[in-house]
Amino acid sequence: MSRLSISAVAVCWMTLASNLAGAATEARAAAPATSAATAAALPAGFDAYVAQVMKAFEVPGLSVTVVKDGAVVLAKGYGVKKLGDPAPVDAQTRFGIASNTKVFTATALGMLVEEGKIEWDAPVVRYLPGFQMWDPWVTRELTVRDLLVHRSGLGLGAGDLLWWPPSTYDRKEIARRLRFLKPVASFRTAYAYDNVLYLVAGQVIEAVSGQSWEDFMTTRILGKVGMTGSNVTHSGALGGGNVAAPHARIDGVVRPVDPFASDNTNPAGGINSSAQDMARWLLVLLADGRLPDGSRLFSDATSANLASIVTPIPISNPPEELAATRPQFLGYGLGLGISDYRGHKLIRHSGGLPGYVSHVLRVPDVGLGISVLTNQEADSAYGAINYTLIDHFLKAPRTDWLAAFQKAEARQQARTAEEERKTQAARNAASRPSLSLESYAGTYSDDWYGDVAVAFENGKLVMRFSHTPGLVGDLEHWQYDTFVARWRDRELRADAFVSFALDPNGKIDQVKMRAVSPATDFSFDFHDLLLRPVPAPARP
């Protein structure tokens, strides 16, 4: 599961996770309405199948939306909003859709292109004169389109620690610090998913429209589409009402977790929506921007731009059980992943936040749209549901996708456990630190993140990220001059190795970090930090 993301793994439909159960619940109200005739078009026993998927992957609640040929086939909730509470998920229950927000941001830019206020291929500095990347040439050349297509040269998830976990930096400061992020590839040569450039895209929208990103989304997109039950901020998940509580597996047990509530990166993933509202959105997308009253939200040209590959993505072989999902082409458009399945073009995106994952897809040539929103980190659950529905509407041979995703997920979990076992086995537990524990204490600084403090408290070392209140960890000795940061907030699931390197004089020269487990979300980009000691102020 990746924060706000459609990782290369997710694009290849190989994302694997584990999840929880609940009985299907009929949506109390659904507008657009679902007719008996269209409901009959669903696979036989579909509700029972969804319940099996939820039980297999431990999903407390989810919603499913299906639209076909301009009509709503299904907009329905299943299970419960929160474990221990019988309140059911219905068609109006809101979930964090995370990175499925990205196409909304891209759509807003397309609307501004149509109005002549920006150009897709104009440099960002035309609209944000203070914008800078590491390389001055890239700063001059990076365009509005480049903000959306993950080819800037930044590494996977680069800069995410500026906002995740919630930081004290505001949007402008996060964008300002991009100039200190070193690229890992040449400009426009490689795909690497990022979130921070969507934050910059939000600033472009604000600069040229005169509206905040949130106001533009609410008034010019959600309001026009009729998505009146949705909101546009991460903090909206805290507002009460008909909201699904996020859940995750913590120490082996699925339980409710705190929602991500920082609004810094709303343009990358802030929308909360429901089955009912996602039906409205899918109908507009499938109609190339036409609204129900015949007017246009956006033009055919914008629709084509959104769904055309800009950045190719290397194709990997999926697990053998999912071999049929291997695409012949794969790439990223504007806020959307694009591939094929059984000879049909798929346009899709996943989204992930703590306790929520979602997936929204279209098969345009058959007029099909599907949305699955979950309140658990349940990639395999939406995968099994999606492929069952797609195969049904394509009249493809029946496949037991539930069994296939269960097997693939079990193999991935075993692989992760084996890698963690090998790491543990390679540890020299008898080794000792080179210095006294007090000698590792001090303030360290990274060019793009800022300060990280290591303190000696009550006989042990404690690490604190100065601009991220939630990143407080106890440093446990691992081997030699490497420690493990055990974050006190166990919901983070991101313990990290902290390795101190000494200079020839035995003084600490630098500190590097990397996640302990290969399952750690890539938004914890500890590995990009290069921490150096900050000299103590001279005494007067």
Side-chain angles (χ1 to χ4, degrees), residues 41 64 111 129 143 165 187 197 199 217 234 302 312 344 417 421 439 485 519:
V64 181
M111 294 164 65
T143 67
F187 184 43
L197 290 180
L199 182 151
M217 287 297 122
H234 286 298
T302 294
H344 298 268
R421 186 198 66 76
S439 298

Side-chain angles (χ1 to χ4, degrees), residues 139-203:
T139 298
R140 292 193 303 269
E141 296 296 319
L142 191 132
T143 67
V144 172
R145 191 188 305 273
D146 289 319
L147 292 175
L148 307 178
V149 297
H150 312 298
R151 63 177 184 179
S152 68
L154 294 176
L156 176 64
D160 281 356
L161 277 174
L162 293 170
W163 59 268
W164 168 257
S167 75
T168 61
Y169 292 127
D170 61 19
R171 290 185 192 175
K172 289 185 178 179
E173 182 61 16
I174 293 171
R176 189 189 74 82
R177 287 179 172 269
L178 295 183
R179 68 196 65 188
F180 304 117
L181 280 169
K182 293 182 181 180
V184 299
S186 297
F187 184 43
R188 295 180 182 156
T189 63
Y191 171 87
Y193 193 89
D194 75 78
N195 291 298
V196 292
L197 290 180
Y198 271 80
L199 182 151
V200 178
Q203 291 187 309

Side-chain angles (χ1 to χ4, degrees), residues 8-33:
V9 174
V11 178
C12 288
W13 334 131
M14 293 157 55
T15 41
L16 303 170
S18 52
N19 317 285
L20 210 236
T25 300
E26 188 72 42
R28 299 272 190 266

